[in-house]
Amino acid sequence: MRIDPLPYEDKLEARALSQVDLVVMHCTELPDLATSRAYGERVLHPGSGTGNSGHWYVDRDGDIVRYVRHERIAHHVRGYNPRSVGVELVNTGRFPHWHDSRHQTMDEPYPQVQIDALVALLLRLQDELPALRFIAGHEDLDTAEIEASDDASLRVRRKRDPGPLFPWAEVLAQIPLQRLPL
Ligand SMILES: [Zn+2]
């Protein structure tokens, strides 16, 4: 487990840990951790000098890195950021044709060692965040559809992560969190 703060971590809005009751599961939809880091460091919100990222990243080999501490609100999901911790699994997803109607399959499996590391992380979060009760997939919280990049007459999901290969039952069996939406 490594701590590697994003350059703008201190510019993210502060919060009380007592308001954090939700973990949002993501996958990076990028080829590797280094690329995910580069995307996380990009400044996309000029007013605050911040960008989009999760708090935690879990690599395919089980390596865990923290980009943002829990006391800061990271931008990782529409509408749920102030109350949640974002956990990103490195996984190719639909990269690099995210919104191409012909490339919507998310077919890279999550290795067992990555899922085992995730479960250990979630149990640790349970210890550090007293109000934590819920877990949800990004795809469950952001169901927006947008025009497909290859054909304007078609619509695709803006967010599909962590996708159909994420082993929800296996993970939920090992952690004391309830899945949202209830
Ligand atoms: Zn996501």
Side-chain angles (χ1 to χ4, degrees):
M1 187 160 309
R2 294 182 288 124
I3 306 296
D4 191 7
L6 288 173
Y8 56 74
E9 184 188 48
D10 289 337
K11 296 180 179 173
L12 293 165
E13 195 181 333
R15 66 179 173 190
L17 294 188
S18 57
Q19 76 187 68
V20 180
D21 68 350
L22 170 67
V23 173
V24 179
M25 286 309 312
H26 299 266
C27 78
T28 55
E29 296 208 79
L30 292 169
D32 52 41
L33 186 59
T35 310
S36 304
R37 180 70 184 194
Y39 272 68
E41 289 188 358
R42 284 186 192 173
V43 172
L44 301 172
H45 313 292
S48 59
T50 64
N52 297 337
S53 83
H55 291 82
W56 295 91
Y57 286 72
V58 183
D59 208 345
R60 294 180 177 92
D61 63 0
D63 186 26
I64 298 176
V65 192
R66 194 186 74 189
Y67 283 14
V68 177
R69 62 186 187 273
H70 295 146
E71 292 84 352
R72 298 284 163 172
I73 299 173
H75 305 126
H76 60 93
V77 56
R78 287 181 179 179
Y80 295 84
N81 286 319
R83 64 184 277 194
S84 70
V85 169
V87 176
E88 298 265 2
L89 301 174
V90 175
N91 184 285
T92 307
R94 300 170 291 180
F95 173 86
H97 308 289
W98 297 281
H99 299 134
D100 186 317
S101 67
R102 301 159 299 178
H103 291 89
Q104 291 302 296
T105 310
M106 296 175 75
D107 54 6
E108 182 190 346
Y110 292 98
Q112 189 63 45
V113 66
Q114 187 180 31
I115 296 303
D116 290 345
L118 169 68
V119 169
L121 174 62
L122 293 173
L123 292 171
R124 178 184 159 157
L125 296 187
Q126 187 76 29
D127 286 340
E128 293 184 5
L129 299 165
L132 202 59
R133 273 187 68 198
F134 303 112
I135 186 169
H138 194 185
E139 62 191 306
D140 301 318
L141 301 179
D142 186 341
T143 58
E145 293 189 338
I146 60 172
E147 203 172 87
S149 55
D150 58 307
D151 182 343
S153 72
L154 299 174
R155 317 269 303 166
V156 295
R157 285 286 299 271
R158 206 174 74 84
K159 298 294 179 185
R160 287 205 69 196
D161 61 304
L165 295 185
F166 182 74
W168 276 108
E170 179 189 345
V171 171
L172 289 171
Q174 298 177 77
I175 58 169
L177 299 175
Q178 257 188 299
R179 188 178 177 187
L180 286 183
L182 294 173

